Amino acid sequence: MTNGSTTDPTTTDPTTTDPTTTDPTTDRTTTGRSTGTAGDRTAGPGPAGPRVGAILPAGDVGTHAGQVKNTVEELIAQTRRAAGAGLSSVWFTQLFDHDAITLAALAGREAPGIEVGTSVVPLHPRHPLLLAAQAQTAQAATGGRFTLGVGLGVRELLEPAYGIPFPPPIRHLREALTVLRQALAGERPRLAGRTLTALPPLPTDVPGGSGVPVLVAAMGPQAVRAAGALADGILPFLAGPRTLSGRIVPAVLRAAREAGRPAPRIAVAVPAVVTDEPEIVRDLAAAHLAPYAAIPSYRRVLDDEGVAHPAELALIGDETTVAAGLRRYFDAGATDVLLLQSGIRSAQDRLRTWHLAGAHT
């Protein structure tokens, strides 16, 4: 699964009944060194404003194990093609195979001028100090073009895979973001929390790696509030225009404002394919997206949007159809639209989709 994958379980966390200012994870003060924000940073080579990026792998058959000799080389080559098509950014998924942060660092060095990021790295079971070290290293490697996208993950996937109990989700999100903010700001975190401890005896900053923005795959009310207060933006997936404009965007803007933070970046992941075979592609999308309908956090946003199946949110058709869909997401408050599964039928469809997207960036 992508956005991927494993994001935003929005079940109520009994440990977070009232996130008051006595909790260090709701600290509204800013750190001494910026972690980067939508308000002070232009993503990619283009001007500030609506941006379109791509999430990789894009569904191409050639990226699967056994279909290419080297997945890393293939995805770096696709990053170059995305940059050549005019996309503002490329984001890498994290499942159980390739390492997304490493890929982003390598791709960013090979394709100068395009923003690279992760969409998304599950926080469980990774420690935020390790994530901060990786993120700063990627930031230094790419000359300041890396964005760290994180998510809570899906308990049903991660807990049996790693054999490590899944923590209370919202409490863990707040504590992990607190540590990430401090470490990415060049500080030495001091947190003994309920879900993690971060007491490094040595410095955590990486020269050349400052200014890493952090986005959160947040869709549920508590996760959106935490992201608005403690991160630089959100990475919702399968949240349609109605849900964005009616609930998610106002909530994250309000949380950021109340925390004294700049307006957040809202990078929305959307399945999109420009194709001459829309019915074939829609059937493929329906098969690939079907598992999300059974995951509670996604089921809730699908119900909010009034759709039965995730494929109903996919933008599939000719250039005019897909361009109109992109406009609906920007009108709903997205600062970025990140296209995924654009190569689900063919590399030709993927490149055609990317060239359309490049014209809107």
Side-chain angles (χ1 to χ4, degrees):
M1 296 182 183
T2 61
N3 142 250
S5 76
T6 53
T7 63
D8 186 33
T10 56
T11 53
T12 300
D13 179 357
T15 68
T16 56
T17 55
D18 180 20
T20 66
T21 55
T22 60
D23 182 345
T25 64
T26 60
D27 182 6
R28 296 184 179 182
T29 62
T30 57
T31 56
R33 190 173 66 169
S34 172
T35 59
T37 67
D40 62 16
R41 178 175 181 271
T42 298
R51 299 173 291 249
V52 184
I55 294 176
L56 295 180
D60 302 54
V61 172
T63 61
H64 295 304
Q67 300 296 322
V68 294
K69 293 181 179 179
N70 190 314
T71 296
V72 174
E73 293 290 349
E74 172 67 20
L75 293 177
I76 288 174
Q78 290 192 17
T79 301
R80 293 194 195 99
R81 295 186 193 107
L87 295 183
S88 67
S89 59
V90 166
W91 307 70
F92 296 92
T93 62
Q94 181 68 66
L95 293 171
F96 300 103
D97 43 16
H98 60 255
D99 182 75
I101 297 177
T102 302
L103 258 176
L106 293 170
R109 287 187 71 84
E110 293 289 329
I114 191 168
E115 178 190 10
V116 291
T118 58
S119 180
V120 295
V121 177
L123 290 168
H124 178 77
R126 296 162 179 83
H127 196 284
L129 289 177
L130 286 175
L131 284 177
Q134 287 183 286
Q136 290 180 90
T137 303
Q139 180 78 322
T142 58
R145 290 178 286 117
F146 175 74
T147 296
L148 178 63
V150 297
L152 282 166
V154 174
R155 180 194 300 267
E156 292 77 9
L157 288 178
L158 300 178
E159 195 168 66
Y162 295 110
I164 301 173
F166 201 81
I170 303 303
R171 168 63 61 177
H172 186 61
L173 176 62
R174 287 185 171 275
E175 291 184 353
L177 290 177
T178 297
V179 173
L180 276 173
R181 282 183 63 192
Q182 293 171 350
L184 292 174
E187 301 173 5
R188 196 175 301 182
R190 313 302 296 173
L191 178 67
R194 298 185 192 177
T195 70
L196 64 89
T197 296
L199 300 169
L202 298 171
T204 63
D205 62 313
V206 176
S210 64
V212 178
V214 178
L215 306 187
V216 179
M219 296 174 294
Q222 293 186 80
V224 169
R225 286 197 298 272
L230 296 168
D232 301 300
I234 57 174
L235 278 163
F237 174 49
L238 296 180
R242 181 200 307 175
T243 305
L244 286 168
S245 63
R247 176 173 65 80
I248 293 177
V249 171
V252 74
L253 291 174
R254 181 169 57 252
R257 184 172 60 250
E258 291 174 351
R261 295 180 61 78
R265 188 174 180 183
I266 301 166
V268 184
V270 182
V273 186
V274 175
T275 181
D276 292 325
E277 302 285 352
E279 295 308 316
I280 293 175
V281 173
R282 196 164 292 282
D283 287 343
L284 291 170
H288 281 261
L289 295 170
Y292 291 102
I295 298 174
S297 56
Y298 294 112
R299 183 69 263 164
R300 277 189 283 273
V301 292
L302 293 171
D303 291 342
D304 287 348
E305 193 67 17
V307 300
H309 195 286
E312 295 178 55
L313 294 173
L315 307 179
I316 298 170
D318 60 15
E319 281 82 357
T320 300
T321 299
V322 174
L326 293 176
R327 285 194 295 272
R328 288 194 293 274
Y329 279 92
F330 287 124
D331 290 344
T335 60
D336 305 68
V337 174
L338 311 182
L339 309 181
L340 74 156
Q341 297 192 337
S342 299
I344 195 171
R345 176 178 172 270
S346 69
Q348 291 76 18
D349 281 355
R350 169 171 53 79
L351 291 172
R352 187 175 168 187
T353 306
W354 286 0
H355 281 287
L356 169 71
H360 286 75
T361 295

